[in-house]
Amino acid sequence: MPPANYTLNLETELQTTATGPNDQPSDPASPAALHMPFDNSYARELEGLYARSNPAGSPAPRLLRLNRELADELGLDADEMSSAAGLAVLAGNAVPAQAQPLAQAYAGHQFGSFSRQLGDGRALLLGELIDRCGRRRDIALKGSGRTPFSRRGDGKAALGPVLREYLMGEAMHALGIPTTRALAAVATGATVQREQLLPGAILTRVAASHLRVGTFEYIAARDDQALLRRLADYAIARHDAALAGTPDPYLGLLQAVAERQASLVARWMGVGFIHGVMNTDNMTISGETIDYGPCAFMEHFDPEAVFSSIDTSGRYAYGNQPAIAQWNLARLAEALLTLIDADGEPAEQRAGAVVQAFAEHFDFHWTTVLRLKLGLDDASGGDRALADDYLTLLRRHRIDFTLAFARLADAAQGNNTPLRTLFGGAAAALELWLKRWRERTLAIGKSPDELAAALRSANPIYIPRNHHVESALAAAVERDDLAPFERLLRVLQHPFDEHAADSALAEPAPAEQTENYRTFCGT
Ligand code: AMP
Ligand code: MG
């Protein structure tokens, strides 16, 4: 998160984004020896919404990690990507011939107040690749140096936050939650000045797109109806192609984003994830999780849990996330308003109804998530009360959210001991609830083993626990030791499989440590 003096309104920079000196790549990096078949639909279709810019380059780059599986999915040759030619691209020292690096423009509501101009201050879109499944994916460098949107920032990223984004994104992906992903982490060999001097790094990020609610707000605030329509059509073509040509595609787009966000936030909450900085510039149109800054996973269940050092009012607390998603959607609705047909009813009312309906959509998805977490793959009227009563128990007795669900699988097979141990002094209350849950699960007609299998596939054993994440990052930053990071990543890539050798990674931190845990922005 930028410091407070960061929110300068640089209208002068805005003027340069389309035609000024920054329109031409500054200081071009050398052409890359590597062939990457980029297409550049954003650059082609959305002029006025970006500034061309080149990566600053890295003095002594070192590949820390390449996501070989993802490289393959993108149709890239992993060996080539980890060669010197690949590293040059990932480090911003060379630009592939078909790339057209650019910094995207966007605005955003940060903690409720509007900034007309944010934009990629430390990121560059290299271009888009069509992956092996035919999906268009953005490939972007994060931490690659200053852009016309950098304001007072240095455009750089420190190693810790880069590895953190890598780990968190890959963990979320393995948990089945839509997210941007990490293709590579590179150490630049330069230092970055934060509160102290830190090693610099670059993350290569892959996204379904980087369109944000804030992208729409950027244009709406400038009253450019033609560009707004172009952006909305672009978003529809990219994410909701079925809407093209329908009677009211822009209302449809709002609806589609609302639906994706309702599902996304329910899934976040199902694994105890707290995004930490749900500003409108950090909320995607695609429905992918983006910008792993001060995010954290909850340990004991607490709807008020907040770990971000800058979120002093708890605006982005665990339990507030659905309300904030809805608030952000209202901002998207406002930005789209002039495009929405007044079809007998004012556009405000039609868009407002979509925003209103978010609450119901979220509730539906949340109930679905909870049912699955309880091993229920059919629906019965009392399920939500059953789930809510369990959550109340967890809250009252400060029980670890992840383990409370993971250990239901043992209970399903007749072994209550792991859960009882977890509940400690609250075991009597647990027994009463388990009795109700058992009765309900009987109705599904599954054998104990089948029920346990369903529970094990819905409830992870491993989440990126804050203390393990911190110690893995500290080893990398302070001792240049990537082994703990690699080990944690390996486990998090298979979060539902128990590995005896890694059982410590499933355990919560001591309570005092969790109480004092704070996360910081500053990727
Ligand atoms: P974030 O906190 O990642 O959502 O970023 C908010 C805004 O601050 C975005 O416009 C970023 O590009 C910008 N920003 C954050 N850190 C830096 C940095 N070190 N240099 C330049 N811009 C930055
Ligand atoms: Mg951001």
Side-chain angles (χ1 to χ4, degrees):
M1 191 63 201
N5 64 2
Y6 221 79
T7 38
L8 296 174
N9 194 348
L10 292 191
E11 285 301 300
T12 44
E13 276 186 357
L14 165 70
Q15 299 308 323
T16 68
T17 56
T19 53
N22 292 313
D23 196 36
Q24 289 308 313
S26 52
D27 215 10
S30 47
L34 192 74
H35 175 70
M36 291 174 84
F38 283 114
D39 184 54
N40 303 292
S41 70
Y42 191 96
R44 231 175 10 248
E45 294 173 37
L46 295 176
E47 196 172 317
L49 260 179
Y50 60 85
R52 291 198 197 278
S53 185
N54 265 307
S58 306
R62 187 158 56 97
L63 183 62
L64 300 176
R65 196 164 206 293
L66 178 75
N67 190 337
R68 298 183 68 92
E69 170 234 2
L70 181 58
D72 188 57
E73 189 178 308
L74 293 167
L76 300 172
D77 180 329
D79 290 332
E80 209 178 18
M81 290 310 297
S82 38
S83 70
L87 176 60
V89 172
L90 300 170
N93 286 339
V95 174
Q98 281 170 270
Q100 291 180 8
L102 60 85
Q104 297 189 341
Y106 50 86
H109 277 85
Q110 300 180 302
F111 288 87
S113 40
F114 186 60
S115 291
R116 273 174 69 89
Q117 182 163 313
L118 295 168
D120 288 334
R122 53 173 166 182
L124 285 178
L125 175 67
L126 290 180
E128 303 132 30
L129 290 175
I130 309 300
D131 73 12
R132 286 189 192 277
C133 300
R135 294 170 300 193
R136 183 176 290 272
R137 315 274 291 267
D138 276 8
I139 314 295
L141 302 180
K142 186 167 176 181
S144 50
R146 288 181 53 80
T147 78
F149 301 107
S150 296
R151 293 165 288 166
R152 294 187 184 172
D154 57 8
K156 293 181 180 165
L159 175 61
V162 162
L163 294 180
R164 192 179 161 79
E165 175 152 353
Y166 196 121
L167 202 60
M168 290 291 184
E170 291 309 290
M172 292 289 264
H173 173 72
L175 289 164
I177 298 173
T179 176
T180 63
R181 297 194 59 192
L183 177 62
V186 165
T188 60
T191 49
V192 178
Q193 181 71 55
R194 293 292 178 258
E195 269 161 26
Q196 59 195 92
L197 270 185
L198 295 168
I202 297 176
L203 181 86
T204 304
R205 180 158 78 183
V206 178
S209 84
H210 283 83
L211 301 176
R212 306 148 192 266
V213 169
T215 320
F216 285 86
E217 291 180 287
Y218 179 89
I219 312 182
R222 285 162 179 81
D223 251 343
D224 184 339
Q225 190 67 4
L227 184 53
L228 181 62
R229 189 176 297 268
R230 236 181 325 129
L231 172 64
D233 287 339
Y234 180 84
I236 286 171
R238 211 157 159 182
H239 299 298
D240 295 290
L243 289 173
T246 60
D248 199 345
Y250 309 115
L251 188 70
L253 176 63
L254 178 63
Q255 239 152 5
V257 176
E259 177 55 27
R260 286 192 281 269
Q261 289 293 334
S263 161
L264 179 67
V265 175
R267 286 160 180 237
W268 285 356
M269 291 176 65
V271 294
F273 179 74
I274 306 167
H275 183 282
V277 60
M278 283 177 74
N279 294 333
T280 55
D281 51 304
N282 292 337
M283 182 158 149
T284 58
I285 298 304
S286 67
E288 286 183 343
T289 313
I290 198 169
D291 274 359
Y292 294 90
C295 64
F297 281 72
M298 187 169 67
E299 300 228 293
H300 68 266
F301 182 71
D302 175 11
E304 283 158 29
V306 43
F307 296 112
S308 166
S309 61
I310 52 168
D311 191 3
T312 46
S313 66
R315 179 181 169 92
Y316 299 137
Y318 173 85
N320 253 6
Q321 296 182 113
I324 289 294
Q326 187 178 36
W327 192 91
N328 290 349
L329 283 167
R331 308 289 79 77
L332 178 63
E334 286 163 5
L336 286 171
L337 218 50
T338 53
L339 295 179
I340 294 171
D341 289 345
D343 184 18
E345 207 187 348
E348 282 88 345
Q349 262 169 43
R350 308 180 71 217
V354 173
V355 175
Q356 282 279 306
F358 174 85
E360 239 170 84
H361 286 262
F362 170 77
D363 207 61
F364 167 80
H365 286 289
W366 181 226
T367 304
T368 306
V369 165
L370 289 171
R371 270 203 184 103
L372 290 174
K373 289 185 78 63
L374 293 179
L376 311 173
D377 52 15
D378 64 355
S380 153
D383 292 347
R384 190 52 192 272
L386 183 68
D388 286 345
D389 290 347
Y390 196 46
L391 294 178
T392 302
L393 273 185
L394 302 188
R395 181 184 198 175
R396 185 172 302 146
H397 303 289
R398 301 169 69 83
I399 308 296
D400 186 81
F401 178 70
T402 304
L403 295 182
F405 285 94
R407 293 188 182 175
L408 282 174
D410 300 310
Q413 289 171 306
N415 178 12
N416 286 359
T417 310
L419 256 191
R420 246 193 247 126
T421 310
L422 184 68
F423 274 71
L430 167 71
E431 291 300 338
L432 286 175
W433 182 86
L434 277 178
K435 191 162 168 292
R436 288 168 58 201
W437 174 67
R438 281 231 166 71
E439 275 162 22
R440 170 66 181 92
T441 55
L442 281 178
I444 317 173
K446 278 190 172 144
S447 72
D449 287 351
E450 285 168 341
L451 178 60
L455 286 159
R456 289 198 173 100
S457 65
N459 295 305
I461 298 170
Y462 302 101
I463 52 156
R465 297 210 178 249
N466 306 320
H467 58 305
H468 294 311
V469 172
E470 293 306 328
S471 71
L473 300 192
V477 173
E478 291 159 20
R479 303 193 295 282
D480 198 21
D481 176 8
L482 280 167
F485 168 80
E486 289 291 344
R487 176 180 173 216
L488 186 55
L489 181 62
R490 202 173 52 243
V491 168
L492 293 172
Q493 282 167 335
H494 303 281
F496 301 98
D497 303 344
E498 189 145 21
H499 322 271
D502 295 309
S503 59
L505 295 178
E507 293 304 316
E512 326 78 77
Q513 208 170 326
T514 304
E515 295 307 320
N516 299 321
Y517 185 67
R518 289 288 167 274
T519 57
F520 301 89
C521 294
T523 338

